[in-house]
Amino acid sequence: MADQQGRAIILMCAASLIFAVQDALSRHLGSNYSTYFVVMLRYWFFAAFVVVIAARAPGGLAAASRSRRPFVQITRGLLLAAEVVVMQIAFVRLGLVGTHALFTAYPLLVVALSGPILGERIGWRRWAAVAAGFAGILIILQPGRGVFSPSAVLPLAAALMFAVYGLLTRLVARDDSAQVSFFWTGIAGAIGITIVGVPQMEPMAMRDWPWMACLCLTAVAGHFLLIRAYDLAEASSLQPFAYTQLVWVSIVGMVVFGERVGLNVVAGGTIVVAAGLFTWWRAQRRSTPAPDR
């Protein structure tokens, strides 16, 4: 069991590294082509991957597409596609480091919204962690020093969308399997982004097609490693290691794009991550039954 948990942690860290590379590719391509066009090509490849996985699973495509909450599943898929679009725009305007430092607030938004969406009760300790996390966001933004960029709203909006997506995923999990949710995530997202992406189609230079192929492959590879990690261990036990993506992104941003990591970003990001880890720890404690005396 310990070896299985260790392999799951390694897979989660590897997936986080791959997603960091994927974000760098998104920034490069998003700087030269329409964001909707790039995300559409990425989703076409992702949808094909989803169909292959579903076809190989027990019950095939019929079982994977059979949902008791189709409207919510469609909403989830469209919301995630919109979040990917907003994040790619933020990568171009703010850079990788600044975008991810703000995006790490999404676990705190999950806590704040779990009451109205899922009817969960949130204790004062986790509310305090949410408040501390948003204090960290203010440190990153430095609103009182005249350096606030309106583009900083983008990663915060993406974090909100991703938080709602995660909560809706927990909601549909009451009736649908993970296989069904995964199928609808890829198909609904691909259909939605195609509607807005086709009018934005443009010629892509031959030198950029390899980068586009790498973007598609990293998206599939990252999700495949996540699936394998979740097969080996519970998602809740792996959540803290997802924060390693911020480390990878910072390294890629500085080395590849020459981004500068300010002291305010380091301090604020540390507070946000610490607050997120605290909310995870409290959730773990609440879900663990007390030992018999």
Side-chain angles (χ1 to χ4, degrees):
M1 182 65 72
D3 289 344
Q4 188 168 301
Q5 179 77 14
R7 289 198 301 272
I9 291 172
I10 292 173
L11 289 173
M12 173 60 80
C13 293
S16 298
L17 172 59
I18 290 174
F19 284 139
V21 174
Q22 172 188 287
D23 292 342
L25 293 169
S26 294
R27 177 181 172 179
H28 167 69
L29 293 169
S31 300
N32 298 286
Y33 305 97
S34 164
T35 294
Y36 301 103
F37 173 56
V38 173
V39 175
M40 180 182 69
L41 294 181
R42 168 181 165 180
Y43 253 92
W44 284 355
F45 196 83
F46 178 52
F49 171 70
V50 166
V51 169
V52 170
I53 293 294
R56 292 169 59 89
L61 293 175
S65 60
R66 192 177 301 118
S67 171
R68 296 183 180 180
R69 294 175 179 257
F71 177 76
V72 181
Q73 290 285 14
I74 292 172
T75 302
R76 284 180 58 255
L78 295 177
L79 197 59
L80 183 62
E83 181 267 336
V84 172
V85 168
V86 173
M87 280 293 281
Q88 182 162 308
I89 296 173
F91 291 149
V92 176
R93 296 187 181 182
L94 286 179
L96 297 177
V97 179
T99 296
H100 270 281
L102 293 170
F103 182 75
T104 51
Y106 83 84
L108 304 176
L109 292 172
V110 169
V111 173
L113 294 173
S114 60
I117 294 180
L118 298 179
E120 297 179 357
R121 181 179 175 275
I122 307 301
W124 69 268
R125 293 179 180 84
R126 284 194 286 173
W127 277 120
V130 171
F134 284 107
I137 290 174
L138 290 177
I139 292 174
I140 297 172
L141 295 178
Q142 295 182 303
R145 299 188 59 181
V147 295
F148 175 78
S149 167
S151 297
V153 174
L154 293 172
L156 294 176
L160 176 60
M161 287 188 283
F162 194 67
V164 175
Y165 164 81
L167 290 169
L168 292 180
T169 299
R170 284 162 57 180
L171 181 64
V172 296
R174 297 172 179 175
D175 299 297
D176 292 340
S177 67
Q179 175 187 332
V180 171
S181 292
F182 188 58
F183 177 84
W184 282 87
T185 297
I187 300 304
I191 293 173
I193 193 61
T194 297
I195 293 173
V196 297
V198 167
Q200 302 289 328
M201 293 183 70
E202 56 185 304
M204 181 173 288
M206 287 298 298
R207 66 177 181 275
D208 286 325
W209 276 110
W211 297 121
M212 188 70 237
C214 288
L215 177 62
C216 295
L217 291 173
T218 52
V220 169
H223 281 94
F224 176 76
L225 291 181
L226 279 182
I227 292 171
R228 291 291 300 126
Y230 291 150
D231 282 343
L232 295 173
E234 293 182 1
S236 58
S237 67
L238 298 175
Q239 179 58 40
F241 300 96
Y243 283 114
T244 57
Q245 185 174 351
L246 181 58
V247 177
W248 300 128
V249 160
S250 299
I251 295 173
V252 172
M254 289 186 292
V255 173
V256 178
F257 297 102
E259 297 181 10
R260 187 180 67 86
V261 182
L263 182 60
N264 64 305
V265 175
V266 174
T270 300
I271 293 173
V272 173
V273 171
L277 290 174
F278 178 81
T279 60
W280 165 82
W281 176 72
R282 285 296 301 175
Q284 288 291 97
R285 286 200 61 185
R286 287 174 61 87
S287 63
T288 303
D292 295 333
R293 293 184 182 275

